[in-house]
């Protein structure tokens, strides 16, 4: 029987009531009395020298409060990068400045040059159009290979060149990997592109800055996945505001997908301008603005080589990647192609030797940073495509080749410096083969052929690292922030609980899943637990939500704080029942004395905590409130096996996804319905990348796919009804819930399964097609079929 409450129950999401009824409180819903509006004048050239800015006419226009340029931010810190990478020669990466408003040069289309603050948004926009900017256009570097050529135009004049870093991992393995590949019985080589993406959350970014002149307190309302990190970065490194004088509030946030992790110039500007003009200042991004100001994702070009022995065992793997940083270093950009990508190149397989080289490159494009999966989709795509290609070259079954090389004993230390604590890759593959009915595929292919369509089957595996940790390790790897999480649990006198968490919910369902955990621990109804997040004035310092860390890290902090609550409540209950603390048991919302019929209800103990008439105050303080910080000892490692079946129209090249099956191991599951929903969303984004989405620049750095007219997003009829399963379970061994994380899996596992399926369909028709770069648009597939 399915559970109807607590851990393991598919409890309906309580937050959906306000979202579906239109009563959510998003940042754009926040309007502060007397607020002004800002419009940013952005560069329409990719690279240019600013010779002058004339704001005279614009400043005289109706409603204009003040016009800001880069000169107003001289002496003020630029946007900081939160991760420093050391290259393979032991040198720190090149780290250019990132001004709030352009100073001296513009470096990508969309770079903010000036900001007009006015009484209305229309007035601010009209005035911005009246600003005269004298820009000397310079040659733009867009192609990464060209950007590294000697003599290429430099994005930043103060740097040696456009190379941010040349990273090798594990550098000590390099010669051994080269030798193993040279002496291998078979080597499969594949060159591929992981194309640039735009995250496109449903809600564009918004910032509202406010300043209280009486107290000197700043408040920023913003669309952020991690308000405490924004407070730290902006307050300490950009504007010099003490943290106790800066409050950051991230209310309901309509999706993030990574792009709302980072600190943006618009946040710093609104906070700065609110004090400068003595009025609240609000900015709401348009969708067109988002395309050229939100951090983009992916954008890797890779050559991967897989070496096998005569028995088809993997013996070595080598990758060379160019990773686009864009014009500036976004908050966590350097870590994505290195520590979040290179350390996952072992995948699910026991390859003994691995070497990963990444060259990060500055170009005159929008900065690139984490996008759902962040490094793990790039690693999985490379690995699973080259394995599929190797199977076809060797004439062996792709599933059998994977099974032969699976890791089967745990814990397992990979050659790229991570240790998988648990997993059972054969079990997830077994489940996939069962659900996907692999044995019946030949019959389904025959049915498609009768309709004049080519049918293909693609299978792949994935593993990802979630809950990035521990802080001391990632600090050694270059992280400039801790990666713990926090929770404060406050019990009211009548027994209800308020949990203040440093994690942030922007679609994950925390307000439902977190109470399920606490309610089960205590034995009370979930409605008695309230979750508070997103406000630095209320929640303890936390690192926010990204990298599928909320439950594994934030949930573990919540469990630890609740354990402290229970321990104190047990002491009070012991006094109330005049029993030894060791004899007190908690079950179904009541404390009892073991072996007796004595009991006291949870609510009565809570009341006693605040009305301390029946226990000695010298032993127990009044009140019932505890805080815990949790810093994991290791990543968690979700894994799975995916399958995709496609039909390809040989006349047009159009690909139709007929089936998409996901068999995942997420460890213990708190809310199966929410987990399935997370996987569904990830699958849609993965299919979008595989078939449709592509952020394209021309040679002059103009963004050609700058709206939904040119950037194709998946729609309901582009995706099938998914078949998902997460019954395979190997609990994580190092967090108290045994959970692993699920939010990014669908986006990691699906792109290679789609591409593998299309290649299979074309090869089944006798086409000599070994690879097609994403997105597999009809024109690309048709061209590949024509040879």
């Amino acid at each position: 029987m399915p559970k109807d409450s607590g851990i393991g129950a598919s409890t309906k999401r309580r937050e959906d009531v306000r979202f579906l009824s239109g009563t959510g409180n998003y940042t754009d819903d926040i309007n502060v009395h007397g607020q002004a509006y800002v419009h940013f004048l952005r560069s329409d050239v990719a690279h240019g020298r600013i010779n002058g800015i004339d704001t005279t006419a614009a400043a005289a226009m109706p409603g204009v409060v003040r016009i800001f340029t880069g000169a107003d931010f001289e002496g003020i810190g630029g946007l900081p990068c939160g991760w420093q990478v050391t290259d393979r020669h032991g040198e720190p990466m090149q780290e250019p400045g990132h001004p709030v408003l352009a100073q001296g040069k513009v470096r990508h289309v969309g770079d903010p040059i000036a900001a007009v603050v006015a009484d209305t948004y229309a007035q601010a926009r009209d005035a911005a159009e009246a600003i005269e900017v004298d820009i000397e256009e310079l040659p733009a570097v867009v192609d990464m290979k060209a950007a590294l050529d000697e003599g290429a135009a430099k994005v930043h004049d103060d740097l040696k060149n456009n190379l941010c870093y040349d990273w090798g991992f594990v550098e000590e393995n390099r010669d051994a990997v080269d030798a193993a590949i040279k002496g291998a019985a078979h080597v499969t080589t594949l060159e591929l592109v992981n194309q640039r993406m735009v995250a496109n959350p449903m809600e564009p970014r918004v910032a509202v800055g406010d300043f209280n002149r009486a107290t000197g307190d700043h408040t920023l309302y913003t669309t952020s996945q991690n308000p405490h990190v924004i407070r730290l970065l902006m307050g300490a490194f950009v504007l010099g505001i003490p943290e106790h004088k800066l409050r950051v509030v991230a209310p309901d946030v309509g999706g993030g997908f990574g792009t709302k992790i980072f600190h943006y110039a618009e946040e710093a500007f609104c906070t700065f301008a609110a004090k400068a003009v003595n009025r609240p200042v609000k900015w709401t991004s348009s969708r067109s603005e988002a395309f050229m100001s939100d951090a983009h994702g992916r954008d890797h070009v890779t050559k991967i080589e897989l070496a096998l022995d005569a028995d088809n065992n993997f013996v070595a793997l080598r990758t060379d990647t160019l990773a686009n940083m864009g014009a500036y270093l976004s908050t966590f950009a350097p870590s994505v192609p290195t520590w979040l990508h290179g350390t996952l190149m072992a995948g699910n397989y026991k390859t003994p030797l691995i070497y990963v080289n990444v060259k990060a490159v500055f170009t005159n494009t929008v900065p690139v940073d984490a996008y759902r999966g962040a490094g793990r989709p790039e690693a999985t795509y490379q690995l699973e495509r080259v394995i599929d290609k190797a199977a076809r070259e060797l004439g062996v079954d792709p599933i059998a080749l994977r099974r032969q090389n699976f890791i089967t004993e745990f814990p397992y230390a990979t050659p790229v410096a991570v240790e998988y604590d648990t997993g059972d890759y054969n079990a997830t593959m077994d489940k996939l083969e069962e659900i996907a009915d692999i044995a019946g595929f030949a019959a389904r292919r025959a049915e498609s052929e009768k309709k004049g369509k080519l049918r293909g089957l693609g299978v792949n595996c994935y593993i990802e690292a979630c809950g990035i940790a521990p802080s001391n390790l990632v600090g050694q790897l270059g992280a400039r922030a801790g990666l713990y999480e926090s929770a404060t649990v406050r019990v009211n006198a009548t027994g209800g609980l308020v949990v203040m968490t440093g994690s942030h919910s922007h679609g994950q369902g925390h307000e439902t899943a977190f109470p399920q955990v606490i309610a089960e621990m205590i034995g009370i109804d979930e409605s008695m637990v309230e979750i508070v997040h997103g406000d630095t004035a209320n929640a303890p310092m936390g690192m926010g939500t990204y990298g599928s860390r909320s439950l594994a890290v934030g949930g573990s902090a919540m469990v630890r704080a609740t354990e402290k609550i229970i321990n104190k409540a047990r002491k009070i209950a012991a006094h109330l029942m005049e029993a030894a603390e060791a004899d007190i048991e908690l079950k179904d919302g009541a404390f009892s004395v073991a072996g007796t019929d004595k009991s006291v209800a949870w609510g009565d103990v809570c009341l006693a905590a605040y009305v301390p008439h029946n226990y000695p105050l010298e032993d127990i303080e009044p009140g019932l409130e505890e805080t815990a910080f949790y810093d994991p000892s290791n990543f968690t490692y979700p894994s799975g096996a995916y399958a995709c079946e496609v039909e390809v129209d040989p006349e047009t090249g159009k690909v139709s996804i007929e089936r998409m099956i996901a068999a995942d191991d997420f460890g213990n599951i708190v809310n199966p319905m929410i987990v399935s929903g997370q996987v569904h969303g990830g699958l849609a984004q993965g299919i979008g990348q595989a078939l449709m989405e592509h952020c394209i620049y021309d040679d002059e750095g103009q963004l050609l796919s700058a709206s939904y007219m040119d950037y194709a997003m998946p729609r309901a009829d582009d995706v099938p009804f998914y078949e998902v399963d997460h019954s395979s379970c190997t609990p994580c061994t190092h967090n108290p819930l045994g959970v692993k994380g699920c939010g990014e899996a669908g986006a990691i596992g699906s792109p290679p399964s789609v591409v593998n399926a299309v290649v299979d369909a074309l090869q089944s028709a006798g086409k000599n097609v070994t690879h097609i770069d994403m997105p597999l648009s009809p024109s690309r597939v048709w061209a590949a079929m024509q040879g």
Side-chain angles (χ1 to χ4, degrees), residues 446-515:
E447 287 298 314
S448 295
E449 290 173 349
K450 290 178 183 178
K451 299 185 295 182
K453 301 293 178 65
L454 309 179
R455 195 175 190 104
L457 169 67
V459 173
N460 65 273
C461 301
Y462 80 90
I463 189 168
E464 63 163 322
C466 300
I468 179 171
S471 294
N472 63 345
L473 173 61
V474 296
Q476 295 171 33
L477 303 181
R480 291 165 169 166
L483 289 167
Y484 53 84
E485 200 44 81
S486 63
T488 295
V489 177
R490 178 180 298 157
V491 183
N492 299 317
T494 53
L497 294 90
V498 177
V499 180
M500 292 156 280
T501 173
S503 297
H504 186 277
S505 181
H506 41 276
Q508 291 83 0
H510 294 175
E511 294 173 39
T512 300
F514 285 0

Side-chain angles (χ1 to χ4, degrees), residues 30-38 65 117-120 207-213 219-221 269-283:
I30 296 171
N31 294 291
V32 185
H33 178 70
Q35 74 187 15
Y37 298 82
V38 61
V65 177
V117 178
D119 292 334
T120 69
V208 183
D210 193 13
F211 179 68
N212 187 325
R213 196 162 294 276
T219 301
L220 171 68
Y221 303 93
F269 176 83
C270 289
T271 305
F272 175 86
K275 180 178 180 181
V277 303
N278 196 27
R279 286 176 66 177
V281 175
K282 182 174 185 175
W283 170 74

Side-chain angles (χ1 to χ4, degrees), residues 83 229 332 340 467-475 479-486 542-544 546 549 553-554 630-632 635:
W83 201 298
V229 174
F332 294 115
L340 299 182
I468 179 171
S471 294
N472 63 345
L473 173 61
V474 296
R480 291 165 169 166
L483 289 167
Y484 53 84
E485 200 44 81
S486 63
M543 292 295 107
Y546 44 84
R549 73 191 301 269
V553 188
Y630 180 78
D631 199 339
F635 294 97

Side-chain angles (χ1 to χ4, degrees), residues 332-389:
F332 294 115
S335 68
V336 174
T338 53
W339 300 111
L340 299 182
H341 156 250
T343 54
L344 271 297
M345 283 310 305
N348 308 65
Y349 311 103
K350 51 181 185 286
T351 312
L353 290 167
I354 298 174
Y355 179 74
V356 178
N357 178 248
V358 177
K359 294 179 178 68
V361 185
F362 292 113
T363 61
N364 291 117
T365 61
V366 170
V368 178
D369 209 319
Y371 169 63
R372 196 171 191 168
R376 287 93 84 198
E378 295 90 321
T380 299
Y381 183 66
Q382 297 167 35
L383 187 58
E384 294 297 323
R385 281 295 299 122
V386 79
I387 291 173
D388 229 56
K389 186 169 185 277

Side-chain angles (χ1 to χ4, degrees), residues 15 508-518 551 558 670-671 674:
E15 49 268 70
Q508 291 83 0
H510 294 175
E511 294 173 39
T512 300
F514 285 0
Q516 288 180 251
V517 174
I518 292 182
L551 193 59
M558 185 180 63
V670 171
N671 187 310
I674 289 178

